[in-house]
Amino acid sequence: MAHDYSFPQELLTLPIVDRIAYFQQYTMAHPKLLRAAETLKNAIDEPAFFSLIFLFGPTGVGKTTLLRRITQKLLASFQTEMELDKGFIPIANIEVATPEFSNFDWKDFYLRALGVLQDPCIQLPGSGRITNLKLKTSLEAALKHRRLKVFCIDEAQNFSKVASGRKLRDQTDCIKSLANLTGVKFVLAGTYDLLILRNLSAQLCRRSVDIHFERYKAENEEDLKAFRGVVQTFQRHLPFEQEPDLLQYWDFCYERSFGCVGILKDWLSQALATALLEGAKTLTLSHLKSSAYSHEQCIIIVNETRLGEKQLEFTSDSSALRIALGLESHQVSVTHSTSQTTKTQSRRSATGNTKPQRRPVGGGENVG
């Protein structure tokens, strides 16, 4: 296949590590990413009707890339104001560390947050011995001082990793308190495991909004068309002497990435490294297979993804809500359901079955 070099041609003369780094740093504005980015940007720009923004998506869908894109756009839009006020930081990002021993470490979170806000208190001697309360107070002050618009927390599902279920509400209450006291919007981005924190209280439901960053789905023809476009774009940016033809293997690419662009890119990065180290001039199916997730790994990820998607599916059946509000009675709902079941069973009854009826008593020709 002829190569029109969508990547810088001089890469072909550079060491392997530079060619791999180029592809790892490359990002594309594909349809799902653009749609999620627009929704998130609108949620950030809207008046403060809500303080928490939950960003859900399967592992490897590109949530971190999305947050990076939003950060770049917001920094660019406030560039003039930032030049006039060197202390102004419109947006900040932090990744929540996975806690040890199933106990979320708030002190670690506060110190990391103060670090990205460049707060001087973390440079003081003995800052690691400061209590959580003082660190939280310092973070509140830093958020106000920096006049932050939005604080993005990646891998936020780690907030739910606590030893006791009773502490789950405390996790979101603490973030909600930070948002309310400082006027800063918080984006909690994570996998579907984050769903456990979403609806812990009525107040949290009222003060939060959901954004679902979806994968490309095989049952949707438009999604498949877009996914094939993603595969083609990636193949043109793989720095080989000969452009690989990944489109002929697009279904295998989908099978082992589940329609998640982030997984696909990480997979192709690994396959690229394998091929270059072998001295190959292009990427082959063999390289793809050797770098792909195993069948067992794929099944685990797919099952978790579909379970999370199901929890976020929109349902038009409001009967449970109407019953809870007293607009419908439970008896009416049960009667309607029973009636529908009876009709269905009646239609499906086998031909020749005797219908229930009263047998005659006494009389007849056999009576002696």
Side-chain angles (χ1 to χ4, degrees), residues 1 23 227-228 230-238 240 243-254 264 267-268 271 282-285 287-288:
M1 179 181 294
F23 187 75
F227 183 80
R228 287 191 288 266
V230 168
V231 172
Q232 186 175 40
T233 301
F234 273 147
Q235 80 175 33
R236 297 181 64 186
H237 283 272
L238 286 165
F240 285 105
E243 181 180 319
D245 186 9
L246 299 183
L247 268 181
Q248 64 175 317
Y249 310 124
W250 73 265
D251 54 340
F252 181 63
C253 289
Y254 184 91
L264 176 62
W267 173 18
L268 292 178
T282 192
L283 195 69
T284 65
L285 180 59
H287 296 130
L288 286 176

Side-chain angles (χ1 to χ4, degrees), residues 76-136:
S77 64
F78 283 99
Q79 183 175 357
T80 301
E81 192 171 349
M82 291 171 63
E83 290 175 354
L84 295 175
D85 182 359
K86 300 301 182 181
F88 174 46
I89 300 178
I91 184 171
N93 293 270
I94 185 176
E95 180 176 324
V96 177
T98 302
E100 296 182 7
F101 313 115
S102 298
N103 287 310
F104 184 80
D105 190 345
W106 277 104
K107 178 172 288 187
D108 177 75
F109 171 79
Y110 291 140
L111 288 172
R112 289 173 184 267
L114 289 167
V116 300
L117 294 176
Q118 303 172 25
D119 191 273
C121 84
I122 64 170
Q123 300 174 0
L124 297 175
S127 60
R129 296 190 297 272
I130 301 176
T131 64
N132 283 13
L133 179 58
K134 289 184 177 180
L135 286 174
K136 181 183 178 184

Side-chain angles (χ1 to χ4, degrees), residues 295-356:
H295 181 266
E296 292 74 18
Q297 290 172 314
C298 292
I299 290 296
I300 292 172
I301 297 176
V302 167
N303 287 340
E304 288 186 1
T305 297
R306 292 181 69 86
L307 179 62
E309 290 172 339
K310 187 172 182 63
Q311 294 180 71
L312 286 171
E313 285 179 358
F314 173 77
T315 175
S316 59
D317 183 10
S318 61
S319 57
L321 174 61
R322 294 178 65 83
I323 291 171
L325 293 172
L327 295 174
E328 291 182 7
S329 67
H330 181 68
Q331 185 62 38
V332 170
S333 179
V334 171
T335 302
H336 176 73
S337 176
T338 303
S339 175
Q340 290 296 108
T341 303
T342 302
K343 290 179 180 178
T344 302
Q345 291 176 342
S346 176
R347 286 195 298 267
R348 293 178 179 176
S349 60
T351 304
N353 287 353
T354 304
K355 294 183 179 181

Side-chain angles (χ1 to χ4, degrees), residues 33-256:
L33 176 67
L34 292 176
R35 193 173 303 121
E38 182 181 7
T39 304
L40 179 55
K41 183 65 166 57
N42 290 339
I44 292 172
D45 291 341
E46 285 178 1
F49 297 126
F50 43 80
S51 54
L52 300 184
I53 302 170
F54 285 98
L55 175 62
F56 305 100
T59 181
V61 76
K63 297 180 293 295
T64 301
T65 300
L66 170 59
L67 294 181
R68 191 183 304 122
R69 183 181 183 87
I70 288 295
T71 300
Q72 292 170 348
K73 285 186 171 295
L74 207 58
L75 290 176
S77 64
F78 283 99
Q79 183 175 357
T80 301
E81 192 171 349
M82 291 171 63
E83 290 175 354
L84 295 175
D85 182 359
K86 300 301 182 181
F88 174 46
I89 300 178
I91 184 171
N93 293 270
I94 185 176
E95 180 176 324
V96 177
T98 302
E100 296 182 7
F101 313 115
S102 298
N103 287 310
F104 184 80
D105 190 345
W106 277 104
K107 178 172 288 187
D108 177 75
F109 171 79
Y110 291 140
L111 288 172
R112 289 173 184 267
L114 289 167
V116 300
L117 294 176
Q118 303 172 25
D119 191 273
C121 84
I122 64 170
Q123 300 174 0
L124 297 175
S127 60
R129 296 190 297 272
I130 301 176
T131 64
N132 283 13
L133 179 58
K134 289 184 177 180
L135 286 174
K136 181 183 178 184
T137 303
S138 296
L139 180 55
E140 291 172 4
L143 291 170
K144 292 177 182 178
H145 173 70
R146 294 300 190 182
R147 297 194 290 120
L148 214 71
K149 304 294 183 184
V150 60
F151 196 100
C152 300
I153 303 176
D154 202 2
E155 302 295 340
Q157 71 274 3
N158 287 327
F159 278 119
S160 66
K161 296 180 179 179
V162 292
S164 170
R166 293 176 298 176
K167 294 183 178 180
L168 277 175
R169 182 174 293 189
D170 295 341
Q171 302 296 90
T172 49
D173 282 348
C174 192
I175 296 296
K176 181 167 61 64
S177 174
L178 280 172
N180 292 341
L181 292 173
T182 62
V184 176
K185 288 187 176 182
F186 280 75
V187 176
L188 303 180
T191 63
Y192 296 119
D193 289 338
L194 184 57
L195 284 165
I196 193 173
L197 296 173
R198 182 187 61 167
N199 294 329
L200 287 175
S201 68
Q203 187 179 26
L204 184 62
C205 292
R206 186 177 66 88
R207 297 287 291 169
S208 65
V209 64
D210 296 343
I211 297 176
H212 188 191
F213 187 1
E214 299 183 85
R215 64 189 175 93
Y216 291 98
K217 297 183 178 180
E219 57 268 30
N220 186 310
E221 185 55 41
E222 286 299 315
D223 276 11
L224 283 185
K225 180 180 179 181
F227 183 80
R228 287 191 288 266
V230 168
V231 172
Q232 186 175 40
T233 301
F234 273 147
Q235 80 175 33
R236 297 181 64 186
H237 283 272
L238 286 165
F240 285 105
E241 295 179 27
Q242 178 184 345
E243 181 180 319
D245 186 9
L246 299 183
L247 268 181
Q248 64 175 317
Y249 310 124
W250 73 265
D251 54 340
F252 181 63
C253 289
Y254 184 91
E255 174 190 315
R256 298 304 171 95

